[in-house]
Amino acid sequence: NNRVETQKGAPPGVIIFAGILGMATKRRALGSTTDTGTSEEETMAMRRTKIVLFGDSITQQAFSTKHSGWAAAVNDAYQRKVDIVNRGYSGYNTRWASQLVHEVSSHFASGSPANGRDILTIFFGANDASLADGTAAAQHVPIAEYKANLGKLIDFVRSDHGSRAPQIVLITPPPVHERSWAKFCGEETSNRSLEESKRYAAACKEVAAEKGLPVVDSWSALHSKAQGDLEGLFWDGLHLSARGNTLLFEALMGVILGKLPGLAPDALPLDAPLWRDIDPKNYESSFRAARF
């Protein structure tokens, strides 16, 4: 049965392609050969590239429509080319992130990305850099441990997938506007400082250099372009405003374009053929001919 069914209780426009999925599954099981000489099973094993975002609340909020989240901008840049998975955890530091890395890594376990490589961003440090004697001391992680923890996260993902491991991109913690954050928390003094965030950003860059990874220096990207209005880059002193999110997105894309051109939006294939390339009289052949 190849009918398209509307999901019960779903809003208008939400549909389940149950029949089409079943048909594709049958073809894969048969292992038939396409016009390109590629087995149907091999073709079906290919999938969209994945970009998994692993971080704290700045990642958790990265799809915010209110603040024009940086991940929403990434999703827009990679329309119909990648699947983005958000694994942001508000308040988390690298110590606690170690308990989640197995699940995060599992998203790269199946299928073969169309371009041969996925991306994993690791974006921690804003909470690790909480002042050890401040009101957020429970989130504080000493800088030496912070570096070691980042290294362990990287090593786990690499060992979990070997030669098929995703391209890891580190993102440093951004700056913080102390006065705004203290006001947001209802405290006289901030439990985070601009200087500490800078130290942890530098430590993140050191880990990237040691591991041979590209790094997005969000601290410098935001601080250097604040134009005397660092406060305006955050909606509460710590979490990014629309302008802050735009600057982070631009910094990330700058690293991808400069260091990872093979993973840039223009380098990735679209998922499925363009509608105008589909032969209306023999549409199945159009899909068989498309490698992805």
Side-chain angles (χ1 to χ4, degrees), residues 37 41 112 137 186 211 214 268 279 286:
E41 185 173 3
S112 177
K211 297 294 185 178
L268 301 186
D279 182 353
S286 300

Side-chain angles (χ1 to χ4, degrees), residues 36-70:
T36 61
T38 303
S39 71
E40 198 72 43
E41 185 173 3
E42 180 182 354
T43 302
M44 291 301 294
M46 294 184 72
R47 58 163 171 78
R48 289 188 183 190
T49 295
K50 289 183 180 179
I51 300 179
V52 178
L53 313 175
F54 188 28
D56 51 37
S57 55
I58 303 175
T59 297
Q60 180 176 312
Q61 297 178 16
F63 276 105
S64 168
T65 55
K66 182 177 181 180
H67 302 293
S68 301
W70 60 274

Side-chain angles (χ1 to χ4, degrees), residues 2-292:
N2 296 329
R3 69 186 185 280
V4 177
E5 298 180 340
T6 302
Q7 185 177 18
K8 189 175 182 179
V14 177
I15 56 178
I16 301 176
F17 293 89
I20 294 175
L21 179 60
M23 182 171 62
T25 303
K26 290 179 182 178
R27 285 178 176 164
R28 177 171 52 181
L30 290 173
S32 59
T33 303
T34 69
D35 294 340
T36 61
T38 303
S39 71
E40 198 72 43
E41 185 173 3
E42 180 182 354
T43 302
M44 291 301 294
M46 294 184 72
R47 58 163 171 78
R48 289 188 183 190
T49 295
K50 289 183 180 179
I51 300 179
V52 178
L53 313 175
F54 188 28
D56 51 37
S57 55
I58 303 175
T59 297
Q60 180 176 312
Q61 297 178 16
F63 276 105
S64 168
T65 55
K66 182 177 181 180
H67 302 293
S68 301
W70 60 274
V74 173
N75 191 67
D76 184 53
Y78 284 94
Q79 286 184 31
R80 195 170 154 182
K81 295 183 175 183
V82 307
D83 287 330
I84 297 180
V85 179
N86 189 313
R87 286 297 180 267
Y89 299 88
S90 177
Y92 272 54
N93 54 35
T94 52
R95 186 182 295 161
W96 302 334
S98 67
Q99 302 303 300
L100 301 173
V101 67
H102 183 275
E103 192 279 333
V104 170
S105 183
S106 71
H107 290 278
F108 305 110
S110 62
S112 177
N115 69 318
R117 204 79 187 270
D118 295 307
I119 298 176
L120 170 65
T121 63
I122 299 179
F123 188 7
F124 288 98
N127 297 310
D128 300 70
S130 299
L131 300 180
D133 58 354
T135 57
Q139 295 171 294
H140 172 76
V141 172
I143 198 163
E145 183 188 344
Y146 167 68
K147 292 179 64 177
N149 290 343
L150 281 179
K152 290 175 182 177
L153 296 178
I154 295 164
D155 291 344
F156 179 90
V157 175
R158 283 176 163 175
S159 64
D160 203 25
H161 300 286
S163 61
R164 294 169 59 87
Q167 172 62 63
I168 300 172
V169 178
L170 295 188
I171 305 178
T172 76
V176 59
H177 190 267
E178 298 176 25
R179 180 168 50 82
S180 296
W181 180 242
K183 181 180 179 180
F184 179 81
C185 295
E187 300 173 353
E188 292 185 5
T189 58
S190 175
N191 54 37
R192 289 165 172 77
S193 76
L194 183 64
E195 187 58 35
E196 278 297 279
S197 66
K198 184 177 182 180
R199 289 181 62 234
Y200 279 71
C204 181
K205 291 168 65 178
E206 290 172 5
V207 174
E210 292 168 3
K211 297 294 185 178
L213 295 175
V215 59
V216 179
D217 186 355
S218 73
W219 199 97
S220 296
L222 272 66
H223 192 268
S224 65
K225 296 181 180 179
Q227 299 177 336
D229 183 25
L230 184 63
E231 182 178 10
L233 302 185
F234 309 92
W235 62 264
D236 60 359
L238 179 66
H239 302 100
L240 303 179
S241 65
R243 173 158 169 72
N245 274 302
T246 296
L247 292 177
L248 177 57
F249 165 72
E250 291 174 350
L252 173 60
M253 294 308 297
V255 168
I256 292 176
L257 292 172
K259 302 290 186 179
L260 308 168
L263 292 169
D266 288 346
L268 301 186
L270 285 172
D271 179 4
L274 295 172
W275 71 266
R276 63 177 60 90
D277 294 331
I278 298 173
D279 182 353
K281 296 181 179 179
N282 190 12
Y283 62 89
E284 290 184 335
S285 66
S286 300
F287 283 89
R288 286 197 300 269
R291 294 298 302 275
F292 182 70

